[in-house]
Amino acid sequence: METPALKDGAADRCSNPDCRVAQDGRCIEGFGNKAECPQFGKLQIVQMKDVADSSLASMHGVAMPASTTLTVEEADNVIKKREARVIAITGPFDAGKTSLIAGLYDLFNLGPVGSVAFGQSYSLQAFEEAAHDSRATSRRESPETNRTPRGEVRFYHFELFDSSTGASPSVLLGDRAGEEYLETRSNTDLAKGFPELPRADVLTILIDGQRMLDAGQRHNVRSEARQTIQAFVEADVVRDTQCLAVVLTKLDAVRKSEDSGSQAMHDFAILVEKLRSTFGMRFTAIESFAVAAQPKSDGAKQGEGLEKLLAYWMMEPRRYQPTQVTVESTQTDRYFALLPIPQVGGIK
Ligand SMILES: Nc1nc2c(ncn2[C@@H]2O[C@H](COP(=O)(O)OP(=O)(O)O)[C@@H](O)[C@H]2O)c(=O)[nH]1
Ligand SMILES: [Mg+2]
């Protein structure tokens, strides 16, 4: 796996964690010209051996290969040890969940996203794989992707710095197969086995812009979204300390469709209002966003809308505090039963 090189305009950084070139301009390898250094201008891959004092390295009994996605247990260790934002990215298959994660990673490769700069990641290889897959998929006509496997949530990890607030949290993005979220509509108890939901500071639900263009599907898309949130509420896995982000994806396609684009936008706005009136008391805030994480046309810029969504994700949360209890991640029902009552504090 190649280390991802930064593109033009990227921040001055070196993938060698010992190199201070960004601070004092001196290359630790002694290269006179930064362009000659094979490490310069690459994102930093965090190896477990390099982070002796890190939250993950100091975990007991968990061996994690470097740069992959995190399990629930590993994510909990990050949450316990440092300031974190947990984002559950939900929505049906093909709504654009993996593309959203990959699109954000692509933006960080170009430099800060608004006031938010990339620090490091425990999941760099996983981001790189998602981005590669997402770019390859976006070049194909058929929506065939490397499907997110069923039965597990995977957390992508960033450490970010927000210069507007001074916060430097870990951000954990939970990704799971979309079919599983849809299945909660007929069996709400399934949602109790989704550990990313009670942990989430921002529950993010994606609304597939492409499907919203289809008059035959539009109604289904809206009712799926409402029923999915309803299932989460009935399963008691949402907290009133959480924020909800309702995200219309594939904005480029929506804008390009002259006939149905404005109808799709209009219906999306109605959906958001409906969610506010039905679930407003259940969440700290409900906000809507429109994004083009991986546009296939010139209807939107690459990554359009992600800066605003990221700013929402970065808000200081009310916190879920994981317990010290360690249980097998397969015992999700039992694990859920062990979750403590969330602590209150932070935004309202
Ligand atoms: N037009 C357009 N297509 C997109 C965009 N983002 C994702 N897609 C496409 O939507 C399909 C599903 O994306 P994916 O991220 O795999 O969805 P997931 O199943 O929710 O993870 C793929 O064909 C993507 O190329 C976008 O911004 N614009
Ligand atoms: Mg996916």
Side-chain angles (χ1 to χ4, degrees), residues 79-144:
I79 298 169
K80 272 188 274 186
K81 298 271 168 61
R82 52 172 291 139
E83 185 184 358
R85 311 276 186 268
V86 183
I87 315 298
I89 302 180
T90 72
F93 172 66
D94 233 20
K97 298 181 294 299
T98 308
S99 300
L100 181 64
I101 292 169
L104 189 57
Y105 169 76
D106 278 341
L107 283 191
F108 278 126
N109 266 310
L110 296 170
V113 179
S115 61
V116 181
F118 176 91
Q120 60 179 29
S121 169
Y122 298 136
S123 318
L124 212 47
Q125 185 178 322
F127 274 122
E128 192 44 32
E129 281 165 10
H132 176 270
D133 183 48
S134 174
R135 284 180 221 121
T137 308
S138 83
R139 285 192 290 269
R140 287 196 295 265
E141 270 313 301
S142 67
E144 172 201 320

Side-chain angles (χ1 to χ4, degrees), residues 27 62 82 98 102 123 135 151 162 178 187 190 194 208 260 275 286 294 347:
C27 171
V62 177
R82 52 172 291 139
T98 308
S123 318
R135 284 180 221 121
D162 189 341
N187 181 358
L190 285 177
F194 297 169
D208 189 335
S260 16
L275 293 177
I286 300 179
Q294 203 62 258
I347 56 167

Side-chain angles (χ1 to χ4, degrees), residues 185-246:
R185 294 177 306 150
S186 49
N187 181 358
T188 52
D189 276 353
L190 285 177
K192 293 185 178 177
F194 297 169
E196 67 278 24
L197 298 176
R199 282 162 180 72
D201 299 301
V202 182
L203 196 60
T204 301
I205 185 157
L206 303 198
I207 310 298
D208 189 335
Q210 190 77 55
R211 284 178 71 208
M212 287 290 277
L213 291 173
D214 182 337
Q217 296 235 29
R218 205 172 289 149
H219 173 75
N220 289 348
V221 178
R222 292 192 313 182
S223 55
E224 275 168 19
R226 278 201 311 274
Q227 289 165 4
T228 302
I229 302 285
Q230 183 66 40
F232 294 169
V233 168
E234 282 173 22
D236 209 17
V237 290
V238 301
R239 298 177 281 114
D240 61 3
T241 53
Q242 288 174 324
C243 293
L244 179 67
V246 190

Side-chain angles (χ1 to χ4, degrees), residues 92-99 133 145-149 154 156 175-178:
F93 172 66
D94 233 20
K97 298 181 294 299
T98 308
S99 300
D133 183 48
T145 46
N146 213 342
R147 296 181 73 141
T148 308
R154 309 187 299 183
Y156 290 79
D175 187 27
R176 151 185 313 277

